[in-house]
Amino acid sequence: MITTSVEDQKKTEMSCTVLPLLVTLSPALFFLLLRDVSVTQGLWEDYKYGRHSSELLHQEHNCSWTCMLFTLQWPGGFCQSLYKETQCKIPQNISSWTIHGLWPLHAQWCCSCWPFFHSDVQELKEELTEYWPSLLKTKSSFHFWKEEWIKHGSCAACVEGFNSPLRYFQICLKLRHQFDIYKLLEDAGITPSCERLYKVAEVQKVLLPHVGDKHEVQCVQDQK
């Protein structure tokens, strides 16, 4: 038995792979889950490795999309999904699910004419740092937020409720508070553990009454 500090214990818990990497959620009537998993996976790969869809860079800014995907990630799972785990960092204050993104589906890089500044989210900085941090050593949190606005938020901006960086990130934070995945699972007895394994079906059973059936769980497998 190795005794660790509270901080070390949190890091150990976050590195365990007994919980899913991603949970995509969709509030009824507004957010619909994309059924084509390959597209969801493509967005995920873009974020992890900085790949860009060049064919979408000059796409006209319009509302060609019909739904949005809100995605949460388990930090330990994200780190293990990288080609090199050494690229990853989990801030000391992070001990729960973090926002991965809010993506209008089939639409990216809609408008390069809307810059993003620190002042745009200054009033949200504390919340964003807690609930939407960058987990890459090579990317600051502000750089991460800026990329998400330019790549996805600019496409969402054709809807009035999303038509500024502040409004876009406010809604993302509101959704994160609405879907407290950690508490939902904890209340059902599913907690981070390096000894106890959980089946995906157990996680889905807990989430179903709270998020409906339009959600998807993506997992990372380790060497075992």
Side-chain angles (χ1 to χ4, degrees):
M1 177 68 69
I2 300 176
T3 303
T4 61
S5 65
V6 174
E7 290 77 12
D8 289 338
Q9 182 62 33
K10 283 185 178 180
K11 291 297 183 183
T12 301
E13 291 176 347
M14 297 299 283
S15 68
C16 295
T17 58
V18 297
L19 289 180
L21 166 66
L22 291 174
V23 173
T24 54
L25 306 170
S26 51
L29 303 180
F30 189 70
F31 293 101
L32 301 176
L33 175 66
L34 179 68
R35 297 189 180 279
D36 183 354
V37 179
S38 63
V39 176
T40 308
Q41 184 67 18
L43 291 171
W44 165 241
E45 294 293 323
D46 278 351
Y47 167 61
K48 282 201 302 181
Y49 304 114
R51 292 197 291 267
H52 307 300
S53 301
S54 58
E55 70 276 10
L56 296 172
L57 285 175
H58 305 293
Q59 185 182 67
E60 290 185 6
H61 190 189
N62 58 57
C63 273
S64 59
W65 52 270
T66 57
C67 54
M68 301 180 76
L69 188 70
F70 181 57
T71 307
L72 299 175
Q73 63 190 6
W74 183 250
F78 170 81
C79 290
Q80 193 164 28
S81 73
L82 298 176
Y83 294 141
K84 295 181 179 179
E85 289 187 48
T86 54
Q87 298 174 341
C88 200
K89 64 173 182 180
I90 301 178
Q92 290 290 334
N93 64 311
I94 302 303
S95 59
S96 189
W97 295 77
T98 61
I99 297 172
H100 183 68
L102 180 61
W103 308 323
L105 296 175
H106 303 298
Q108 299 177 41
W109 308 99
C110 293
C111 179
S112 60
C113 58
W114 199 331
F116 182 83
F117 303 103
H118 284 88
S119 57
D120 290 324
V121 291
Q122 186 60 41
E123 66 183 78
L124 302 177
K125 185 176 180 181
E126 186 175 342
E127 272 192 286
L128 288 173
T129 299
E130 178 177 358
Y131 298 110
W132 200 338
S134 170
L135 301 178
L136 294 176
K137 292 180 179 179
T138 57
K139 183 180 297 185
S140 69
S141 289
F142 175 76
H143 185 199
F144 181 21
W145 305 332
K146 182 178 181 178
E147 282 187 348
E148 288 298 297
W149 166 255
I150 294 174
K151 186 174 183 179
H152 304 294
S154 64
C155 296
C158 62
V159 175
E160 185 173 349
F162 291 90
N163 61 355
S164 74
L166 178 61
R167 291 181 179 180
Y168 174 75
F169 286 100
Q170 281 176 330
I171 290 178
C172 292
L173 289 169
K174 183 177 180 179
L175 288 171
R176 171 58 180 79
H177 292 307
Q178 180 178 345
F179 296 110
D180 190 343
I181 300 301
Y182 192 100
K183 188 176 188 306
L184 292 177
L185 295 175
E186 184 179 48
D187 289 347
I190 297 179
T191 57
S193 171
C194 288
E195 291 78 34
R196 169 69 193 277
L197 300 179
Y198 302 96
K199 295 181 179 180
V200 175
E202 293 180 78
V203 175
Q204 292 176 321
K205 184 178 180 180
V206 172
L207 297 180
L208 186 62
H210 303 281
V211 303
D213 60 356
K214 295 188 187 315
H215 74 271
E216 175 185 318
V217 178
Q218 295 181 2
C219 300
V220 170
Q221 296 180 343
D222 60 17
Q223 291 80 1
K224 298 180 181 180

